[in-house]
Amino acid sequence: MSSSKNLTRRAFVGTSAAVALSASALMATGCSSGTSVEAIEGHVPPVDKAKDGEWIPVACWHNCGGRCMNKVMVKDGAVVRQKTDDTHEDSFEYPQQRGCVRGKAQQQQCFGGDRLMHPLKRKGWQPGGGANSNGSLRGKDEWEVISWDEAIKLASEEINRISDEYGPTGFYCKSNNATLNVLSGYVRGWDTTSHGTYTLDSTLIGLPNVDLGNGNDRFDMENADYVVMWSSNPMWSAAGLPINIWLHAREQGVKFICVDPLYNSSAQMLDADWLPVRAGTDMALMLATAYEMLRLDEKEGDVVDWDFLNRCTVGFDAEHMPADATLDENLKDYVLGAYDGVPKTPEWAEPICGIPPEKVTELARVLGKGNKVMLLHNYGMARCNGAEMIPQMFMALGAMGGHMGKSGHATAGAYHSAAGNNGPTLVKAGAAKMPKTADSITTGVRQPQIYKIIIEGGGHTQDVSNAYASFHKPNPTELGPIKCIYHMSDATLQTSLSQKEGIEAHRAVDFVLTLAQFMTTNARYSDIVLPVTTEWERCGGFSGSNREYLQFFTKVTDPIGEAKTDQEIGRLLIAGVGKDPDLAYNTSEEQQLYEKIAGAQVIQDDGTYGKLVTLTADDIEKLGAKGEPQQGVITLQELIDNGGHQVERSKGDRFGYIGYKEFVADPEAHPLKSASGKLEIYCQARYDLMMSFEFPYREHYKPYPTYVVPVTGYESTFKGGKIGGEKAEFPFLMFNPHYLRRSHSVFDNCPWLREAWASPVFLARSDAEGLGIADGDTVLISSPYGQGLRKAALLDVMIPGLVGVPHGAWVDVDEETGIDRAGSDNYLIGSEFGGMGVSGYNNQICNIEKYTGKPLEDDCDLPPRLFPGVTAENAGK
C-alpha cells in the first residue's frame, strides 16, 4: 500500500512545540475568567437534583451542525445548572450527544444582560418616508422604548403606505417568511453562503443537492486507509458528535491528510499530514493531482480506475462524452495540455497553489485505485471567486481512483451532522399543518447586488434565483425603488458580502423593521426593533438532528420581558395592516407542537417508518392540543426525559450505508439525476444554466473543469496579476475561518465565549514579525472596500502570505474614520463577482499593518452592546 507519511504536516512548522504554540494562539483568549482550578474543585453544586431542581431538555438551535443535547436544571423558575447528554453510557456504537462550548453558553442567549425586553423605536425616525426617516442616522441614532401597540401601529401604517405607493417590489427581505407573504410581498435575496458553488444545482452533474448525503455511514470510516479532509475542520464547524467519528477512525489506524490553508484543530487532533494550499487555488492543485495520476498510471499502471470512469462517468475523455455535449473537449486532454499547450503538471501548479511537486505526486499515489480512500470536503474551497467548477473537479478526482460505492471509499461532502455520517435518517420529526403561503412576486436578486439597486432607487436584475440553492433561467427584471427592508429571521447585514455598501443601503430606505433578541447588526441599522423570544421561551419542539438522533426540547421560562414569538409578532403585524392572521397562522403553537410529535417517525425492523411517540388522550390534553391517541415505541415522557430519541447502533447492523453503492454496481439500472444518468465531469446542462445568467467573466469557463484566474484571488496580490512579480497594494490573500467563538454571527455578544475565545486576526508568524507585529498588537486590515481592526494572533500553522479573519464579528464602525473596530470580515469584502455569482468569501485581498492609533481593548472587557438612549434597565438586564 502506498504511504503518504512524507506529506509533512510541518511544511511551515519547525517543531511540535510550534504546533502547540499555534494551537493556543488559535484560542487567543486575552481575558481572565476570574476563576481558578482550586475554586472549581472546591465548588459545591447549588442544588441537589433529587430534592430541589428539575432537569429539562432545552434547545441548542443555532446553525453549527453539531445537533447536540443540552439540559438545564431549573429551580424556582431560574436556571442554576447545565449539562449535556448523560442518558446512557458513552460508546462509539451508542454515543452520547455531547454539546460544545457554544451549547453550554446558550443560557446567556436567553438570560443575557443585553436581551431586548421591549419594542424599540429609533428616535430620529418618523413614518411617511423621505426626510421623515432621517435614514442617515441609522446606526448612530438614539433609541426609545415604546409599547407593542405603538410599535405595531407605526409599522403597519408605514407598510401600508409603502404598499400603496410602490407595491410588493417596494419591500426587500432575504429569507422566505410566511408573515411577509401575507403582509406585503417582497423582493427576495439569494446568495451562495455556506455551500458556495455547490448551490448551482449539483444534481445536474449527478451529485445530491449541494453534495450532501451520499457519503458512507459512520461505521465505515474505519475501513478506509486514508481520509483526505479537504477544506474541512469539523472540530470547529460541527463540534459535538461528528469529530468523534473521525477520532475513532484514527484510533483504528486510518491516516488523515488535511488540505487547507491552516493546519486546523481537527488536523492537529487527528495527527493529519498537511498540504498547505493557498486559499482559492484548490483547482490548480486538483488539476495537477489528476495529471500525476495519469502519468503514474501510464508509467506504473493500476493508479486510475478506468473501469469506474468508463462505466460511471461522462466527459473524462473523448471516448466517453455526454450525448448533449456541444464542445469537442474533455478533462483528460485539457489536463494533458492538448488545447492550450500547457500540461497541468505539478510544476505548473506550484506557483499558484504553493504545494511542492513531490507532495502532489504523493497525493496522487494516495488517491490511486489501490488504496481505500475517503475524499471528504467541506465548503471553504467552494466559497471562493473562480470556484465554479470545483464540484465537478473534486468529483473527477474521486472517480479517477474509483472511490465511490464501496466500503472504505467515498467522495462526498462532510458538513454539519453529515460530517462522516451519511445514509437515510433513522428518526425524524413530524411537520405541523400550516397554511400554504407564497410571496406575491417571485423576483430574486443576488444579495450583494440588491444594495446597489436600493441605493440607486431601482435597477436591472437578471432574476436567476429566489431561494437558496435553487436556480433557473433568467427572468430579466427592472425593479423600481425599494423603500422597506425586513429582517425577520436572518443576520443578512452581518453575514452577507459588501457590508459597507449594505449599511449605505439601509440608510437609503424609508423603513427598516427587525425582529431581534439583541442589538445585532440588523437591529442597529433599523427603525423599529421587535423583541422576539428564544427557543427556551417557547412551548417546545424538535431542534435538528443527525442521522440517528432527534433532539427534543421543552420550555424553560416564560418570555423575558415583553418578548413574543415569531408567530405572535406575525399575527399582530398581519392584523395591523388589516388582513386575516389565519392566512399565515391558523393554529396555536401548542397544536403545532403536538402535530410535530404525533408525526415523528422512527425506522422499523422491516425498513419502513413507524410512529415514534405513544400519545394518550391525557398527553394531548396536557400539550394543549386536539388530536387522536396513537401507539409508538416510546412514551411522551420518555421523549421529554431523554431530550429526544436516539437509535442505538452496532457495528454490522442493518443501518449501514455506502453512498452510490447501487449506482456503481449497475449504472444503467440505478441512474443518477443528471441528463446522462451518470457522473458528468463534462456537464452541458450546468454550464448552459450558468451561461444563461449573463454574469461577468462567464466567458472564461467551459463545461468541464479548467483553471480560471478569479476576478479576485491570489493573482490579484501581484501587480498586473503576474505571480512572482512585484506585490500589489493589497499583497495578502484573505479568508474567513469559522471557529468556536461564534456560530456564524450568533454568540458574538456572549460573555463566556468572549472570555474563552477572542476575536483575533490570524497572521503567519513570519509575515507578522517582518512587519513588526507581535502577538496581541492591534492590526489595521485594509482592503479595496473597507478597513477594520483586530488583535493579532501569530500562527506557525498557517501559510505565509495569508490573513485569516474569523467570521461573524458584529460590525462596529467608527463614524469619523470609517474603520470597523470589530474587524467584521464582510466589511472588508465588496460585491464584485463572476461566473455563477458565487460569493467569494475566502480569496479576497488585503494589506495588514500595525495600527498606530489607540489599541483595541480585549473585547471581553467591552460593555454589553447597548446604544445611545438604551440602558441596561430598558434593554433587558
Side-chain angles (χ1 to χ4, degrees):
M1 182 176 66
S2 301
S3 171
S4 74
K5 277 302 178 183
N6 290 325
L7 284 170
T8 175
R9 63 180 177 277
R10 298 196 176 97
F12 289 97
V13 182
T15 65
S16 58
V19 175
L21 273 172
S22 286
S24 63
L26 290 177
M27 293 186 66
T29 57
C31 298
S32 171
S33 64
T35 62
S36 68
V37 174
E38 291 76 16
I40 293 170
E41 289 178 346
H43 180 62
V44 177
V47 294
D48 182 337
K49 171 185 174 183
K51 292 182 178 180
D52 301 301
E54 177 188 6
W55 286 108
I56 62 174
V58 296
C60 194
W61 66 93
H62 296 298
N63 186 23
C64 74
R67 305 298 186 257
C68 309
M69 183 186 295
N70 262 304
K71 290 187 175 184
V72 297
M73 179 181 281
V74 178
K75 181 184 178 185
D76 299 330
V79 171
V80 293
R81 294 179 67 187
Q82 186 169 344
K83 67 178 180 179
T84 186
D85 188 5
D86 60 358
T87 57
H88 57 271
E89 291 296 319
D90 184 54
S91 68
F92 180 73
E93 290 75 16
Y94 192 31
Q96 292 176 349
Q97 306 291 326
R98 296 178 183 175
C100 74
V101 293
R102 291 178 292 213
K104 293 170 184 175
Q106 284 282 16
Q107 58 184 282
Q108 291 191 322
Q109 289 293 101
C110 181
F111 300 108
D114 52 348
R115 271 294 299 275
L116 300 182
M117 294 175 58
H118 311 286
L120 297 174
K121 173 186 168 294
R122 185 169 62 83
K123 284 187 175 181
W125 178 83
Q126 296 298 328
N132 290 339
S133 67
N134 285 307
S136 63
L137 294 179
R138 291 191 183 101
K140 300 179 283 187
D141 211 346
E142 292 189 350
W143 295 84
E144 58 187 353
V145 174
I146 59 176
S147 69
W148 270 103
D149 287 344
E150 184 178 3
I152 296 300
K153 181 175 184 294
L154 287 169
S156 300
E157 289 177 353
E158 189 69 351
I159 290 166
N160 278 336
R161 179 189 70 81
I162 294 171
S163 289
D164 290 343
E165 293 184 29
Y166 301 99
T169 59
F171 301 85
Y172 166 72
C173 183
K174 184 179 180 183
S175 302
N176 183 41
N177 185 272
T179 295
L180 303 186
N181 289 343
V182 175
L183 194 66
S184 62
Y186 51 101
V187 174
R188 286 285 307 277
W190 66 266
D191 204 344
T192 59
T193 53
S194 295
H195 301 97
T197 53
Y198 281 88
T199 60
L200 184 60
D201 201 348
S202 296
T203 66
L204 294 176
I205 62 175
L207 300 177
N209 186 38
V210 300
D211 198 21
L212 281 180
N214 249 355
N216 296 359
D217 175 59
R218 64 183 176 90
F219 282 89
D220 193 58
M221 187 178 283
E222 67 183 63
N223 296 323
D225 298 322
Y226 299 93
V227 172
V228 179
M229 41 193 293
W230 209 302
S231 291
S232 190
N233 185 11
M235 191 171 179
W236 281 2
S237 63
L241 176 63
I243 188 60
N244 288 292
I245 299 170
W246 302 58
L247 183 59
H248 175 80
R250 192 206 72 168
E251 292 169 347
Q252 306 309 306
V254 178
K255 300 178 180 67
F256 284 80
I257 300 170
C258 168
V259 185
D260 198 271
L262 183 70
Y263 189 59
N264 58 52
S265 293
S266 298
Q268 294 180 38
M269 182 179 187
L270 297 166
D271 194 29
D273 295 330
W274 182 33
L275 282 173
V277 64
R278 291 190 179 102
T281 67
D282 302 81
M283 178 62 81
L285 174 58
M286 291 181 192
L287 289 167
T289 304
Y291 178 93
E292 279 299 273
M293 291 179 75
L294 288 168
R295 185 185 68 82
L296 291 170
D297 186 77
E298 182 176 355
K299 181 180 178 181
E300 302 171 5
D302 289 334
V303 174
V304 175
D305 191 334
W306 292 105
D307 175 68
F308 185 97
L309 286 170
N310 295 342
R311 291 189 308 107
C312 300
T313 75
V314 293
F316 183 76
D317 59 22
E319 290 73 35
H320 300 87
M321 294 297 290
D324 60 353
T326 62
L327 182 66
D328 186 20
E329 295 183 10
N330 61 81
L331 177 61
K332 177 188 172 186
D333 287 339
Y334 170 76
V335 167
L336 295 177
Y339 308 128
D340 58 5
V342 181
K344 307 308 177 289
T345 65
E347 291 76 15
W348 163 84
E350 182 182 14
I352 303 170
C353 67
I355 305 298
E358 64 271 17
K359 303 303 178 186
V360 179
T361 302
E362 291 167 12
L363 178 62
R365 289 190 183 280
V366 166
L367 295 182
K369 71 175 188 177
N371 295 323
K372 293 181 178 181
V373 179
M374 290 191 173
L375 191 56
L376 303 179
H377 71 84
N378 208 306
Y379 295 89
M381 63 180 181
R383 295 194 295 266
C384 292
N385 296 307
E388 272 72 0
M389 294 297 164
I390 283 288
Q392 283 156 259
M393 190 63 222
F394 191 85
M395 178 183 75
L397 277 185
M400 289 179 73
H403 301 308
M404 297 182 196
K406 299 172 288 188
S407 175
H409 301 257
T411 302
Y415 171 83
H416 275 199
S417 56
N421 194 16
N422 291 268
T425 301
L426 303 180
V427 56
K428 52 191 177 182
K433 302 178 182 70
M434 301 294 291
K436 291 184 178 180
T437 65
D439 192 356
S440 57
I441 58 173
T442 60
T443 304
V445 182
R446 182 178 180 266
Q447 176 59 38
Q449 269 56 58
I450 193 69
Y451 295 146
K452 182 179 180 182
I453 288 174
I454 291 172
I455 292 167
E456 295 182 352
H460 177 80
T461 181
Q462 283 294 83
D463 183 12
V464 300
S465 175
N466 68 353
Y468 187 69
S470 178
F471 289 87
H472 52 73
K473 293 291 180 71
N475 297 314
T477 302
E478 295 296 327
L479 288 173
I482 292 175
K483 293 295 182 178
C484 173
I485 295 174
Y486 294 120
H487 293 300
M488 306 299 281
S489 60
D490 56 64
T492 302
L493 184 56
Q494 181 59 59
T495 58
S496 296
L497 298 182
S498 199
Q499 188 176 49
K500 189 174 184 178
E501 189 177 33
I503 292 171
E504 184 182 353
H506 278 66
R507 287 172 170 166
V509 297
D510 289 345
F511 183 45
V512 183
L513 175 67
T514 294
L515 277 60
Q517 295 155 359
F518 310 97
M519 260 295 173
T520 61
T521 300
N522 284 349
R524 182 174 184 173
Y525 291 93
S526 298
D527 300 311
I528 289 179
V529 180
L530 303 178
V532 65
T533 58
T534 67
E535 296 285 8
W536 286 20
E537 301 154 74
R538 305 184 188 189
C539 62
F542 295 100
S543 182
S545 66
N546 57 43
R547 189 186 177 210
E548 54 215 52
Y549 167 64
L550 177 64
Q551 183 192 39
F552 182 78
F553 65 92
T554 54
K555 184 176 180 179
V556 177
T557 182
D558 288 331
I560 303 297
E562 293 186 285
K564 297 182 183 296
T565 68
D566 295 87
Q567 176 164 318
E568 290 172 327
I569 295 171
R571 288 186 63 87
L572 289 172
L573 287 169
I574 293 169
V577 299
K579 296 181 180 179
D580 183 1
D582 284 351
L583 293 173
Y585 310 102
N586 61 358
T587 60
S588 70
E589 293 176 66
E590 290 76 15
Q591 180 67 28
Q592 293 162 32
L593 174 60
Y594 156 74
E595 291 169 359
K596 293 173 184 176
I597 296 172
Q601 295 182 311
V602 65
I603 198 79
Q604 301 181 110
D605 289 340
D606 62 359
T608 62
Y609 289 92
K611 292 186 181 300
L612 173 63
V613 184
T614 293
L615 290 168
T616 66
D618 186 51
D619 289 334
I620 297 169
E621 182 179 356
K622 288 179 179 178
L623 288 171
K626 295 180 179 180
E628 296 296 324
Q630 65 180 41
Q631 186 66 38
V633 298
I634 62 171
T635 66
L636 177 61
Q637 194 59 49
E638 287 173 325
L639 180 75
I640 295 170
D641 290 344
N642 292 327
H645 181 70
Q646 183 174 348
V647 175
E648 189 168 354
R649 299 288 309 281
S650 63
K651 190 173 182 178
D653 64 18
R654 66 186 185 279
F655 304 129
Y657 182 79
I658 304 295
Y660 300 101
K661 183 176 180 180
E662 291 79 12
F663 164 71
V664 172
D666 191 341
E668 306 303 326
H670 301 280
L672 303 174
K673 292 182 179 180
S674 62
S676 66
K678 298 185 178 183
L679 298 167
E680 297 204 355
I681 296 169
Y682 176 118
C683 184
Q684 194 68 49
R686 188 172 185 267
Y687 173 80
D688 288 346
L689 178 62
M690 182 174 74
M691 290 300 105
S692 73
F693 300 168
E694 298 184 357
F695 288 162
Y697 225 62
R698 65 190 182 282
E699 66 275 8
H700 297 279
Y701 294 91
K702 294 190 176 184
Y704 62 89
T706 62
Y707 183 74
V708 173
V709 176
V711 62
T712 299
Y714 180 56
E715 287 85 349
S716 309
T717 66
F718 295 91
K719 288 188 176 180
K722 186 177 180 181
I723 292 175
E726 185 181 353
K727 277 292 190 175
E729 180 182 0
F730 301 102
F732 290 93
L733 197 57
M734 180 175 65
F735 69 113
N736 58 1
H738 294 216
Y739 75 144
L740 283 172
R741 158 72 173 269
R742 297 179 278 263
S743 178
H744 294 286
S745 64
V746 178
F747 297 113
D748 191 48
N749 59 320
C750 176
W752 290 345
L753 291 175
R754 285 191 167 210
E755 287 182 359
W757 291 81
S759 188
V761 55
F762 297 155
L763 305 178
R765 187 177 302 277
S766 58
D767 289 335
E769 290 177 349
L771 294 168
I773 296 171
D775 256 319
D777 283 350
T778 299
V779 173
L780 176 65
I781 312 164
S782 302
S783 80
Y785 307 102
Q787 293 182 303
L789 300 176
R790 292 267 185 128
K791 285 195 169 188
L794 274 52
L795 307 183
D796 299 292
V797 290
M798 192 175 77
I799 306 172
L802 266 68
V803 171
V805 182
H807 172 57
W810 293 3
V811 72
D812 182 21
V813 179
D814 183 323
E815 295 292 342
E816 292 185 6
T817 65
I819 296 173
D820 173 25
R821 291 169 292 220
S824 170
D825 48 326
N826 287 318
Y827 194 76
L828 303 169
I829 302 175
S831 61
E832 63 180 356
F833 65 101
M836 66 161 285
V838 65
S839 292
Y841 296 96
N842 283 328
N843 60 340
Q844 296 293 320
I845 56 175
C846 72
N847 191 24
I848 55 171
E849 57 189 294
K850 186 173 180 178
Y851 186 54
T852 58
K854 181 182 178 182
L856 290 173
E857 296 180 62
D858 291 326
D859 67 353
C860 62
D861 292 330
L862 296 174
R865 184 164 168 141
L866 306 174
F867 293 88
V870 179
T871 67
E873 286 70 30
N874 64 30
K877 185 173 180 179

